Amino acid sequence: MNTIGPIGVFDSGYGGLTILQEFLKVLPEYDYIYLGDNARAPYGNRSFEVVHDFTLEAVRFLQKKGCRLVILACNTSSAKALRTLQQIDLLNEDPDFRVLGVIRPSTETIGAMSKSNCIGILGTQGTVQSSSYKIELEKFSPNIKVVQHACPMWVPLIESNKHHTDIGEKVIENDIKELLEKDAAIDTILLACTHYPLVIEHVKKSVGNHIQVVSQGPIVANKLKDYLSRNEFMRAQISKGNTCHFMTTENAAVFDTSATQFLAKQIRSIQVSL
Ligand code: DGL
C-alpha cells in the first residue's frame, strides 16, 4: 500500500504521554497522533476480553486516521491484547501495517540493569496477572529473578490527579513496601505501567538510593528509533512534519488541563468516539 501517515500512540488514558514525550525527543521529525481512552480508563482491572476489544477499537480508529504504525503505549493493552491483535485480528489484512507494544523493548533491556539479578516489577493488576514480564524476561535474561507487585490504585489516582495528595502518597509507599518485602535482593524496579513515571519522584524517595527506579519511556523510544533505522519499509510509511495531534474519548478540556501538566506544554485535544 502506497500511503504515508503519522505514528499512532495509544493508552487507556494519560500514561502514554510519558512514552510520547520520549518519542518526541529522539524522533521529533515524525507526525504523531496520541489517543487516550480516558472515558474508559483504567483498563488495569478489566478482563482480557474487554481490554482486547477496547484496544482493537482504538487501533482500528488510528488506522482509519491514516496511521501505518501504532504503538500500544500501555502495558495492560500490550500484555492482554497485543498478541491477539498481531496474530489473529490484523493478520492477513494490510501486511505493512504494524502494532507494537512496550513490554518486549523493556524486557530486552532491563535484565542488564540489575547487579543483584533481582528485578521488581510494579504494574497494574492485568499486567501482573498476565505474567508477561516474567515470560519475556525469561527469554532475554534467564538468570534474572522477577518479583511482581500489582498497584491497582495508582492509575485511578493519577487519572483523577490525586497522586500528590497525602492519601495518594501513602498508597504508593504502602505498595512499594509490599514489593520490597517480597525479596530483599531487589536492586532495580521497573515502572511497568506508563502512568507510573508521573509518580517516579515519590517512588525514588520511598525506595532510597540503593535501588534504581527505571521508567520505560527512554527505553521504548530508543528501541523504536532502532526499529525504524532497520526497517526502511516502515520509515517510508511515516509522514514527517513535526506535528502531534491529541485525541481523547473524554472531555477535551479536562484532558488538556492534565496533559498540559504532564507534558509541561500547552495541549489542545479533540474529543472522539471509537
Ligand atoms: N498506562 C497503562 C499501563 O501501562 C495503564 C492501564 C490502566 O488503564 O489501568 O498499563
Side-chain angles (χ1 to χ4, degrees):
M1 199 180 281
N2 203 10
T3 56
I4 63 167
I7 299 175
V9 180
F10 168 68
D11 181 48
S12 61
Y14 298 112
L17 294 171
T18 64
I19 302 286
L20 175 69
Q21 195 169 33
E22 301 300 325
F23 289 168
L24 295 173
K25 283 183 198 158
V26 300
L27 296 163
E29 65 274 32
Y30 293 116
D31 293 316
Y32 295 88
I33 295 181
Y34 182 86
L35 172 64
D37 190 9
N38 300 76
R40 302 190 292 195
Y43 281 11
N45 304 334
R46 294 185 186 271
S47 69
F48 268 84
E49 292 72 23
V50 170
V51 173
H52 164 264
D53 293 352
F54 286 0
T55 306
L56 182 58
E57 278 177 14
V59 169
R60 292 269 188 236
F61 176 89
L62 288 166
Q63 212 176 4
K64 284 200 195 102
K65 293 283 171 206
C67 298
R68 312 290 302 139
L69 170 66
V70 172
I71 310 294
L72 302 183
C74 174
N75 288 269
T76 311
S77 287
S78 300
K80 290 185 160 186
L82 180 61
R83 189 165 304 169
T84 314
L85 258 63
Q86 289 173 330
Q87 296 180 359
I88 298 172
D89 302 306
L90 305 169
L91 194 73
N92 302 325
E93 285 190 1
D94 175 353
D96 291 340
F97 175 72
R98 291 281 186 280
V99 184
L100 304 173
V102 288
I103 295 179
R104 176 74 182 248
S106 305
T107 50
E108 279 175 0
T109 311
I110 185 84
M113 292 184 172
S114 171
K115 288 197 174 67
S116 67
N117 290 341
C118 187
I119 293 182
I121 301 285
L122 292 172
T124 65
Q125 197 91 48
T127 299
V128 167
Q129 269 168 6
S130 75
S131 280
S132 298
Y133 275 92
K134 276 193 175 193
I135 296 163
E136 288 292 318
L137 254 161
E138 175 70 19
K139 290 181 197 159
F140 302 111
S141 308
N143 55 326
I144 295 285
K145 180 174 180 196
V146 177
V147 183
Q148 305 191 95
H149 181 73
C151 309
M153 288 310 297
W154 291 24
V155 172
L157 281 168
I158 293 166
E159 284 286 314
S160 58
N161 212 1
K162 296 205 174 80
H163 46 294
H164 293 311
T165 60
D166 286 350
I167 291 176
E169 293 193 341
K170 284 264 165 339
V171 168
I172 291 166
E173 285 159 25
N174 200 47
D175 278 315
I176 288 167
K177 188 165 157 274
E178 285 182 23
L179 170 74
L180 297 180
E181 277 169 4
K182 290 179 184 174
D183 201 316
I186 295 171
D187 71 346
T188 303
I189 293 177
L190 176 70
L191 301 180
C193 171
T194 56
H195 281 70
Y196 297 177
L198 296 163
V199 294
I200 193 167
E201 289 314 320
H202 195 63
V203 175
K204 281 184 178 166
K205 216 167 86 188
S206 310
V207 298
N209 291 337
H210 63 297
I211 296 177
Q212 60 174 331
V213 182
V214 181
S215 66
Q216 298 172 295
I219 296 173
V220 175
N222 283 317
K223 287 283 181 186
L224 179 62
K225 189 175 180 180
D226 181 49
Y227 169 81
L228 291 175
S229 73
R230 287 182 286 106
N231 288 282
E232 163 63 29
F233 86 96
M234 183 48 78
R235 253 193 347 265
Q237 294 188 95
I238 306 174
S239 55
K240 287 186 170 178
N242 298 283
T243 65
C244 192
H245 294 281
F246 295 87
M247 300 182 187
T248 174
T249 54
E250 246 298 346
N251 179 284
V254 174
F255 182 90
D256 294 350
T257 306
S258 292
T260 297
Q261 235 180 332
F262 294 152
L263 283 186
K265 69 174 188 188
Q266 191 63 48
I267 303 300
R268 288 260 174 273
S269 66
I270 55 166
Q271 186 170 5
V272 296
S273 39
L274 303 183

